[in-house]
Amino acid sequence: MTQYAENIENENIVFKANKDGIVIILPEKISFNELKTSFNKKVLSSRNFFGTAKTRLVFKGRELSEIEEKELLGLMYRYTDLDIVLTKKEEPKLSLLVSTLEEELENQDFYKNAIAEAEEKVFHYGSLRSGQAIEKEGSLVLIGDVKPGSEVKVSGNVVVLGTINGLVHAGYNGNRSCSISALKFSNSQIRIADTITHVPKRWVSKGPSHAYIEDDKIFVKPLT
Amino acid sequence: MSEVIVITSGKGGVGKTTTSANIGTGLAMLDKKVVLLDADIGLRNLDVILGLENRIVYDVVDVIEGKCTYKKALIKDKKNPNLFLLPAAQTRDKDSVTPEQMKELCNELREEFDFVLIDCPAGIENGFKIAIAGADRALVVTTPEVSAVRDADRIIGLLGASDIRSPQLIINRIRFDMVKREEMMAIEDVEEILAIDVIGVIPDDEAIIISANKGEPAVLDKESSAGLSFLDVSRRIAGEEVPFRDLNLKEGFLSNLKKLFKGK
């Protein structure tokens, strides 16, 4: 049953019009010759759907060589009255994602949101107060202070544009090449991978500094 | 014979943590092996008072969740090799621990230490119930203020409903000059209202604030009247008979005369 449904889906060529132009979703599993035949049929039967507009074509769902693309374009030229200005091929790797996220792709905001989301994951705006914690994969840029009683734990590097007073743990998965940088290191505990150091209570770094592992020890050196 | 003692008060800010730190240090000075357990999860302070906040790697929640053994989480005091701290977690809340787990932990600690002192959070909710779960004995801290005494009374009532045997009272931050002018409740007044044994009276002392900032309990300071009183309480807890100091006199003519000569 599902097999049958899949076949139908796989052999189907779908035309969609959106604000970018006409999106042609091609089946992935059939040979190019089969594709050409069904494409031919589909285009012929959809002549009225296309009209005579000036438009852009986007091929999706299948990897096309340059020759293949030209052949399909030729068919489009021959059997429709479209004024095609530009064609765009989809990246093959995205094709799977594309079919499921079709709606969002049509919306350019999707890309903007994706970038904002990725940025949000790296950047943290505002200080961490006592009891607050950030734990995540990757690196962190914290714009603010790490106050006493707060914790930062990441698998990558940490950059604090402020003072570190709390606990900061970089490379918690065991990556000893990670580092911690801050405008000021004060009364705090610093951990990199499996190494721990205590910043003495009355010691304060001279300006922006950088903590890293050397000979199994953590060093805090001024950034010059 | 080891003992698990919870230090509680009901009201916040009366000096539970300060009392815990000082009595713990005092008992360690008397060559007892002591562990201070901070049960104030999410609002830990005992590590700060002891000046050990940077040394925390594991905390009580890690121990209870089985991430490490309690031995790994213990922090040895800077000065006293008999004193250990088992810190609270700061980024968690009181619901991270159940009373049963606390009881189990206390029994484990009891094996190794002469005294297990538990710093109880303020309030009468879950945090309080968890903190008292494993205790044999309770010390109720109050200040000579009506609000603190009222809350202490509530706590004594709640302790009565638990397995803990008769709680003892510590009256903290008393000012004898004010008592003399009848502007502050006297020891006798507090005793009468609460009707439990007083195990210590701690005078109000600037040294407490200074010592908290330094991360060294006042009991280490032989000049501090509060520190001396805390040491007395420690002695009494350890089973010694120690008479109450006549702080009234000390704070009066004699000490003023001493201060004059010392140029303080």
Side-chain angles (χ1 to χ4, degrees):
Chain A
M1 185 71 184
T2 45
Q3 186 64 37
Y4 176 72
E6 248 173 45
N7 279 341
I8 292 277
E9 184 139 290
N10 285 344
E11 284 168 22
N12 264 2
I13 296 168
V14 180
F15 294 121
K16 270 190 180 176
N18 69 10
K19 63 179 189 306
D20 297 330
I22 293 173
V23 183
I24 303 167
I25 300 166
L26 301 171
E28 206 174 1
K29 287 186 179 155
I30 58 172
S31 73
F32 185 67
N33 275 336
E34 285 175 282
L35 173 77
K36 222 165 75 179
T37 328
S38 48
F39 189 76
N40 211 339
K41 270 191 226 162
K42 182 93 185 180
V43 172
L44 272 173
S45 64
S46 313
R47 192 165 185 158
N48 289 337
F49 167 75
F50 292 123
T52 58
K54 191 172 183 175
T55 189
R56 217 164 64 136
L57 283 188
V58 184
F59 289 112
K60 275 186 189 171
R62 179 188 177 104
E63 202 170 356
L64 289 174
S65 71
E66 224 164 290
I67 302 162
E68 288 171 341
E69 194 185 321
K70 268 186 188 154
E71 271 191 62
L72 295 183
L73 262 179
L75 290 171
M76 290 295 283
Y77 276 124
R78 205 175 320 151
Y79 298 119
T80 70
D81 308 315
L82 284 172
D83 184 3
I84 298 161
V85 287
L86 201 75
T87 59
K88 204 181 123 202
K89 253 194 308 186
E90 270 299 310
E91 290 291 324
K93 270 187 186 168
L94 271 173
S95 64
L96 273 175
L97 191 74
V98 164
S99 51
T100 51
L101 298 178
E102 195 64 47
E103 301 294 321
E104 282 135 305
L105 259 181
E106 281 172 15
N107 186 353
Q108 285 296 310
D109 286 346
F110 172 71
Y111 291 110
K112 281 182 201 157
N113 288 340
I115 293 166
E117 221 172 86
E119 267 190 1
E120 210 176 277
K121 279 175 185 163
V122 175
F123 288 89
H124 179 93
Y125 295 90
S127 297
L128 276 192
R129 288 178 182 276
S130 181
Q132 294 177 326
I134 295 181
E135 183 175 341
K136 69 179 211 66
E137 294 298 317
S139 295
L140 178 77
V141 177
L142 190 140
I143 294 147
D145 297 335
V146 178
K147 295 185 178 247
S150 65
E151 293 179 14
V152 172
K153 190 177 172 189
V154 301
S155 63
N157 302 306
V158 181
V159 176
V160 177
L161 291 177
T163 305
I164 298 182
N165 269 312
L167 161 64
V168 178
H169 192 175
Y172 77 82
N173 291 335
N175 186 354
R176 296 179 134 231
S177 62
C178 288
S179 70
I180 300 165
S181 311
L183 293 186
K184 201 166 142 192
F185 283 82
S186 179
N187 185 32
S188 58
Q189 189 186 100
I190 304 279
R191 300 186 201 171
I192 298 174
D194 52 355
T195 313
I196 298 174
T197 194
H198 317 287
V199 177
K201 204 166 182 182
R202 278 172 195 81
W203 185 87
V204 176
S205 70
K206 287 184 187 103
S209 298
H210 179 66
Y212 57 94
I213 295 190
E214 203 178 289
D215 300 330
D216 293 342
K217 277 180 195 145
I218 295 178
F219 287 86
V220 181
K221 281 200 176 149
L223 283 167
T224 42
Chain B
M1 243 286 299
S2 59
E3 243 185 331
V4 182
I5 305 173
V6 62
I7 290 133
T8 181
S9 72
K11 192 175 178 295
V14 295
K16 285 180 296 298
T17 305
T18 310
T19 304
S20 306
N22 280 288
I23 292 178
T25 309
L27 283 166
M29 284 160 75
L30 301 170
D31 277 335
K32 305 285 183 195
K33 205 170 175 199
V34 182
V35 60
L36 287 164
L37 201 166
D38 193 347
D40 204 349
I41 298 162
L43 285 169
R44 72 176 177 210
N45 282 137
L46 193 51
D47 54 318
V48 182
I49 300 289
L50 292 165
L52 300 171
E53 77 257 49
N54 288 343
R55 290 167 199 258
I56 298 173
V57 178
Y58 296 106
D59 52 53
V60 67
V61 176
D62 291 326
V63 175
I64 278 165
E65 287 178 349
K67 283 187 191 150
C68 67
T69 59
Y70 78 82
K71 281 188 187 169
K72 222 171 166 185
L74 288 178
I75 304 165
K76 195 187 265 189
D77 185 54
K78 290 177 288 189
K79 288 186 179 140
N80 202 317
N82 286 328
L83 183 64
F84 294 83
L85 170 71
L86 186 49
Q90 182 69 349
T91 56
R92 309 294 287 272
D93 58 37
K94 308 279 192 275
D95 299 329
S96 314
V97 181
T98 64
E100 292 75 34
Q101 289 169 326
M102 190 61 159
K103 207 168 176 178
E104 210 174 295
L105 178 66
C106 288
N107 286 336
E108 230 179 299
L109 292 170
R110 194 197 291 272
E111 301 285 308
E112 197 184 322
F113 295 92
D114 299 322
F115 288 97
V116 181
L117 299 186
I118 303 167
D119 183 20
C120 179
I124 54 171
E125 296 84 12
N126 262 351
F128 166 75
K129 285 171 192 154
I130 292 157
I132 65 163
D136 316 318
R137 185 172 172 184
L139 300 180
V140 178
V141 183
T142 187
T143 55
E145 290 160 85
V146 277
S147 52
V149 172
R150 171 82 57 85
D151 291 358
D153 197 41
R154 177 93 172 94
I155 285 293
I156 294 163
L158 289 171
L159 287 169
S162 72
D163 303 335
I164 293 168
R165 61 170 184 261
S166 51
Q168 288 162 304
L169 188 68
I170 292 176
I171 301 170
N172 194 14
R173 233 183 276 150
I174 197 156
R175 286 181 56 182
F176 291 100
D177 53 334
M178 284 181 78
V179 174
K180 221 181 232 171
R181 294 199 300 267
E182 296 188 349
E183 290 164 349
M184 185 180 259
M185 288 166 98
I187 302 166
E188 297 75 31
D189 302 337
V190 180
E191 233 181 328
E192 199 188 310
I193 297 168
L194 298 178
I196 58 171
D197 288 343
V198 177
I199 196 170
V201 178
I202 318 294
D204 195 24
D205 188 354
E206 283 177 6
I208 292 290
I209 295 162
I210 298 164
S211 75
N213 287 337
K214 274 203 281 189
E216 289 166 9
V219 74
L220 296 164
D221 179 0
K222 297 276 182 297
E223 303 272 295
S224 156
S225 56
L228 289 170
S229 305
F230 274 126
L231 193 61
D232 287 352
V233 177
S234 308
R235 285 216 163 90
R236 286 180 202 122
I237 290 170
E240 286 178 41
E241 285 279 333
V242 184
F244 281 82
R245 282 166 200 270
D246 199 350
L247 293 147
N248 199 358
L249 253 181
K250 232 189 152 186
E251 281 298 299
F253 177 68
L254 258 172
S255 71
N256 282 342
L257 203 66
K258 260 192 208 162
K259 278 178 190 165
L260 251 174
F261 281 115
K262 281 187 179 169
K264 271 191 185 171

